[in-house]
Amino acid sequence: MAGPSSGVRKQWDIGHSIFLAGAVVRSLIKAGSEDDIQPQAILAMEGLGAGLLVDQERISDGVDALKGGENRKFNQLMITAGLTNGGAARLMRDSIPCVAAFVLAVACKTCFTDQETGSILYEMMHFRGVLRSVPVSRTQIERAVGALSGYGHNIVPNTLFDDVASTITRNMTQSLEMPGLLSRSGAKEIAEVLSDVFESLQDTKIKKITLEGHQTGIWFVTMLVWLLPNDTQLILHNKILFGRGNFRLKIILKQRDDSAWYIQKWYSEERISELVGGFDNVPTKEHRSLPLSHVPVKSAKTYLAAAYRLPEDAVEATGLIVTALVNIVFEHGTFWLSGNRYRIPFKDICQMHFIERYHTITKVFGWNLDFDKVNERISHIVAAYTYELSLTLAADNGMQPEILDGVFSYKMMSRLLLQLEASFFKSRGFAMIQENNLEHMGIIDPIIHVAAEALYCSIIEPFPCDRPFRPLTVATLHSNAESIWRLLSGDSPLQQRSHENVNQIAYFRSEAVKSICPGALGFGSAVLAVVGNGHVAYATPLMEPSTERRYCAGISMIPGTLRWGEDHARYLILREVEAAEFASARRFYEASQRIEVFQEETYLGLEALPNSEMVKVETLISPSENTLTLTTYLDSPSLQDAPVAVNWWRSIEALAFAELIHGHDMSAFGERELARSWKARGFFDKIAWLAVGGLTNGNAIKHHITTTRL
């Protein structure tokens, strides 16, 4: 039976908006222009928020969050990454309904991208009748959410989500009795449930609301407990898990065959001393098998246990092998560049925060292993791995494809883990994991997935402790297997062939950003910065150029968006022009201009000789829709042709793969021995001073390298 208020939904009256006063209207238009938000989108957010019941503490948190935060200016560019205290955020924090809508969007960030959150809010606007008063498109709401997303970075209820997930799983009578708890419902279905709940809460005639179901249950519980901590109670198997006392909203987690949510509203009836209720049914069956876009990283263990229906011993074994595999990659992994010609150890570009915690990395993903007890076993697993083992696998001619792809890499990683298990038993005399094996336990996929997601943290600064965790899909699993396999397969014939057209470090960098920054539009070889899910991921040297290898290879993160120009307009991508003639394509030197540092067998020494010629750096930026396109030129008086285009990423990678020598720290004996080593390896046949544009300086003294002032 339907309740009395379930027929006609209350309409918001735009005449109640605080933004319609003359001076405020001008501010609204100006704020929308700064953040690329249509003014009607802000009005629609206000209309949605007017129908939300949100705890006063959450409103206070939202007001503080909208005051802005840290921002950074990129070196020599008029580009700012981060948050401001103006624009739409300043305008919205003066409106309680706008703050309520913002806080609702923040609650969605635990499991949904900005685009998905915008779609949920749009559907709620439809159910609440806001769109009749303020016509606005779905895209405009998604864009508004994207512009404001970063402001909620510090108040996203990730910790509460982890607490809810672990509490629910601990109190289940059997493992994974409700697998849909971490599955996705559609935006329309989520919006319908939430709209019905919030409308019922605002109806004073309704004394209690019962919400019963399980689909996307952990997110629903987290969101409602966070927004309404004093009005929400959670019950599982007749046991109260959250909330005490006389609560208006009671959530009962219960498996239903139709995966629907049932909403029952209870009204006070004076004629009888009972409560009479009515049912509303919101079916979610259509989306029951789809995973959430992401979960907080601390819930990764819980998510994988649910998705793969793993018993506790399998979950613990997964954490153990992941830790060992990360250790193996750290010790043996290698990055390659330019067709297998240049390589550097993986550990040489890892950021310091990762180096400090890689050996206990699974703690970040929710495992609470007793590392004092398992470290010896982990060290045994690492010892069982040998570089030759991966070479043997890669050299199997029966499995070599024409190119290295994710499917092949997944097969090889699976085989590597099984062979590692066999090698461990053969050398140690006992099993790598107790009483079972990897294949039988079904944990090969989770091991590959979590290990890669952990390794992606290696180049992110600061260490992303509050990062999201992506679901394990087939496409993501294959990409992650390829990332690990490229690092481990080393000098194999397959790698020599596959590296000819693939920049390995660029591939890893791109996958890392997609992992850490859900919803980002991509981080290819030409992209220097990208916005995704309220964060900016950018090449660290944009802040300050450096020749330090780790610094050059790093990706930095900051909440917010990209802004450029005098009007501080908002953009989503900073990329370079794709050009054929960059610094790496400079003309080759002639043999007579090579640097000569030996006279017969006597080392003459190598010194820096300053060049008085000034080099001018010119940076040009072209804005287009949501993209900033960057071109950088070097110019000097000696150039007879046009200025020379240079490329940030090629310069960064040249430094990452360079053999850096710190002369001031080297003894005379050490310098002579290094020079003899380089001579034996033919290095001095390839070294010459290149002036701007690639032409060698024929008048330079042969045993000096000239330095140019910028």
Side-chain angles (χ1 to χ4, degrees):
M1 180 176 67
S5 68
S6 62
V8 180
R9 299 191 182 278
K10 298 177 182 178
Q11 304 295 310
W12 173 69
D13 185 357
I14 193 173
H16 296 155
S17 173
I18 70 167
F19 298 123
L20 296 185
V24 182
V25 169
R26 289 191 292 272
S27 298
L28 175 65
I29 295 172
K30 180 180 178 182
S33 176
E34 286 181 15
D35 291 323
D36 191 24
I37 301 175
Q38 294 294 327
Q40 59 264 40
I42 299 177
L43 289 172
M45 296 279 279
E46 182 189 27
L48 175 63
L52 300 178
L53 188 64
V54 178
D55 184 76
Q56 188 60 41
E57 285 297 318
R58 296 290 84 80
I59 294 294
S60 177
D61 292 341
V63 170
D64 290 340
L66 286 169
K67 291 178 180 178
E70 182 184 7
N71 59 73
R72 300 168 188 171
K73 292 184 178 180
F74 294 158
N75 184 66
Q76 299 180 344
L77 303 175
M78 292 177 59
I79 298 176
T80 302
L83 303 171
T84 69
N85 62 359
R90 180 194 57 77
L91 203 65
M92 290 181 66
R93 67 174 177 258
D94 292 332
S95 165
I96 296 301
C98 280
V99 175
F102 166 72
V103 170
L104 173 65
V106 171
C108 294
K109 284 175 66 68
T110 52
C111 297
F112 297 100
T113 65
D114 292 343
Q115 184 177 9
E116 292 169 333
T117 298
S119 188
I120 292 170
L121 267 58
Y122 176 82
E123 293 292 348
M124 289 185 69
M125 292 171 185
H126 166 71
F127 283 113
R128 300 308 303 271
V130 174
L131 300 183
R132 293 190 182 94
S133 300
V134 186
V136 66
S137 72
R138 187 186 303 269
T139 301
Q140 289 171 338
I141 298 302
E142 291 172 355
R143 187 174 298 158
V145 170
L148 297 167
S149 176
Y151 289 90
H153 167 71
N154 287 326
I155 62 172
V156 179
N158 287 333
T159 301
L160 177 60
F161 185 98
D162 301 332
D163 189 21
V164 169
S166 59
T167 301
I168 290 173
T169 52
R170 280 198 313 268
N171 285 276
M172 287 183 177
T173 55
Q174 54 182 314
S175 178
L176 311 171
E177 61 182 88
M178 287 184 273
L181 285 171
L182 285 165
S183 295
R184 181 192 309 188
S185 296
K188 184 175 181 180
E189 295 150 352
I190 291 173
E192 187 173 359
V193 172
L194 293 179
S195 296
D196 210 347
V197 167
F198 282 111
E199 184 177 352
S200 300
L201 286 168
Q202 287 197 323
D203 189 340
T204 57
K205 295 180 181 179
I206 299 176
K207 301 305 179 182
K208 289 187 182 294
I209 304 119
T210 302
L211 184 62
E212 183 177 296
H214 77 284
Q215 187 76 7
T216 324
I218 291 179
W219 177 79
F220 270 120
V221 171
T222 301
M223 186 251 241
L224 291 170
V225 168
W226 187 63
L227 292 178
L228 298 165
N230 298 317
D231 287 293
T232 307
Q233 187 177 72
L234 172 63
I235 296 177
L236 175 65
H237 300 315
N238 296 320
K239 181 180 179 181
I240 298 175
L241 302 186
F242 285 90
R244 294 290 186 271
N246 190 23
F247 285 76
R248 285 192 71 199
L249 175 61
K250 181 184 295 185
I251 305 174
I252 302 174
L253 290 180
K254 185 176 182 180
Q255 176 92 26
R256 289 188 174 274
D257 293 337
D258 59 1
S259 296
W261 280 98
Y262 286 80
I263 303 173
Q264 190 170 18
K265 304 161 189 177
W266 300 84
Y267 302 85
S268 178
E269 178 57 61
E270 297 178 355
R271 291 172 298 177
I272 55 175
S273 57
E274 293 182 6
L275 297 175
V276 180
F279 288 98
D280 286 339
N281 177 7
V282 181
T284 58
K285 187 174 182 179
E286 180 182 353
H287 300 272
R288 65 184 304 175
S289 62
L290 295 178
L292 293 164
S293 293
H294 55 267
V295 297
V297 69
K298 278 285 187 182
S299 295
K301 174 185 172 183
T302 301
Y303 165 78
L304 288 171
Y308 274 72
R309 303 197 175 190
L310 301 177
E312 187 61 29
D313 60 339
V315 174
E316 294 305 307
T318 300
L320 176 70
I321 308 302
V322 165
T323 305
L325 187 55
V326 170
N327 276 260
I328 288 170
V329 174
F330 185 81
E331 295 297 335
H332 299 280
T334 306
F335 279 118
W336 293 86
L337 183 69
S338 302
N340 226 38
R341 290 171 57 192
Y342 307 106
R343 66 176 180 177
I344 53 171
F346 169 77
K347 66 175 71 174
D348 281 10
I349 69 164
C350 292
Q351 304 302 294
M352 292 307 300
H353 285 114
F354 179 82
I355 293 174
E356 293 168 358
R357 65 179 78 193
Y358 77 91
H359 52 287
T360 58
I361 192 70
T362 48
K363 287 184 177 180
V364 176
F365 293 82
W367 272 268
N368 294 312
L369 300 176
D370 186 345
F371 285 95
D372 291 336
K373 292 183 179 180
V374 303
N375 272 339
E376 183 178 359
R377 184 171 290 269
I378 290 172
S379 65
H380 287 332
I381 296 172
V382 176
Y385 172 86
T386 62
Y387 204 50
E388 290 73 23
L389 176 60
S390 65
L391 298 184
T392 300
L393 291 171
D396 187 337
N397 292 324
M399 295 189 67
Q400 284 191 24
E402 288 300 318
I403 60 172
L404 180 60
D405 62 8
V407 175
F408 175 80
S409 298
Y410 171 70
K411 291 178 180 177
M412 299 308 289
M413 280 303 304
S414 300
R415 189 173 174 184
L416 172 61
L417 288 169
L418 293 174
Q419 189 161 335
L420 175 60
E421 186 174 42
S423 176
F424 182 95
F425 182 79
K426 183 177 180 180
S427 62
R428 302 291 167 180
F430 55 91
M432 191 165 73
I433 54 178
Q434 296 177 352
E435 301 178 0
N436 221 316
N437 60 70
L438 299 177
E439 194 167 29
H440 183 265
M441 296 182 89
I443 59 176
I444 288 179
D445 290 5
I447 288 171
I448 295 172
H449 182 60
V450 178
E453 296 294 300
L455 290 168
Y456 293 143
C457 298
S458 63
I459 61 172
I460 307 296
E461 190 68 23
F463 189 88
C465 292
D466 57 351
R467 56 160 290 180
F469 178 77
R470 296 186 293 177
L472 203 170
T473 64
V474 172
T476 302
L477 178 63
H478 288 170
S479 297
N480 285 351
E482 185 171 348
S483 292
I484 301 176
W485 184 247
R486 286 187 182 279
L487 287 166
L488 289 180
S489 53
D491 294 315
S492 70
L494 174 64
Q495 285 291 70
Q496 293 174 13
R497 187 167 68 246
S498 66
H499 276 307
E500 292 179 3
N501 298 314
V502 176
N503 185 327
Q504 186 188 3
I505 198 168
Y507 178 86
F508 186 87
R509 183 173 60 231
S510 176
E511 291 301 314
V513 172
K514 286 191 288 186
S515 168
I516 304 292
C517 206
L521 298 180
F523 205 83
S525 58
V527 175
L528 290 167
V530 66
V531 177
N533 220 38
H535 283 76
V536 183
Y538 63 91
T540 302
L542 283 175
M543 285 295 299
E544 184 178 355
S546 170
T547 58
E548 205 280 317
R549 176 176 288 165
R550 293 189 203 282
Y551 183 88
C552 288
I555 299 292
S556 293
M557 299 279 292
I558 185 173
T561 188
L562 288 170
R563 297 183 182 275
W564 175 80
E566 295 180 356
D567 58 352
H568 301 288
R570 188 172 67 92
Y571 296 88
L572 300 181
I573 297 178
L574 171 64
R575 68 167 71 247
E576 291 187 282
V577 171
E578 295 278 8
E581 297 296 327
F582 282 123
S584 59
R586 291 171 176 168
R587 281 175 278 182
F588 289 112
Y589 50 83
E590 298 176 5
S592 61
Q593 295 170 328
R594 293 173 181 168
I595 294 176
E596 297 174 2
V597 295
F598 282 91
Q599 187 174 21
E600 295 181 350
E601 295 301 320
T602 303
Y603 174 59
L604 302 176
L606 191 63
E607 300 177 7
L609 180 66
N611 185 348
S612 60
E613 182 178 82
M614 295 292 293
V615 175
K616 179 183 178 182
V617 180
E618 183 179 22
T619 301
L620 302 179
I621 291 179
S622 174
S624 176
E625 294 184 356
N626 60 6
T627 301
L628 293 172
T629 304
L630 173 72
T631 306
T632 306
Y633 293 96
L634 297 183
D635 199 1
S636 72
S638 64
L639 280 179
Q640 299 177 356
D641 301 323
V644 178
V646 292
N647 179 273
W648 277 81
W649 274 128
R650 294 190 188 183
S651 301
I652 289 169
E653 286 166 357
L655 288 168
F657 285 89
E659 188 166 346
L660 303 179
I661 304 300
H662 302 282
H664 59 279
D665 294 331
M666 187 177 294
S667 66
F669 174 78
E671 183 179 341
R672 283 195 298 269
E673 291 304 305
L674 179 62
R676 291 193 177 99
S677 171
W678 281 19
K679 181 183 179 184
R681 295 158 67 184
F683 284 4
F684 290 112
D685 294 334
K686 305 174 182 178
I687 295 179
W689 165 245
L690 294 181
V692 174
L695 297 176
T696 55
N697 188 343
N699 297 323
I701 300 174
K702 296 296 182 66
H703 60 278
H704 289 75
I705 288 183
T706 310
T707 59
T708 302
R709 292 187 296 151
L710 297 179

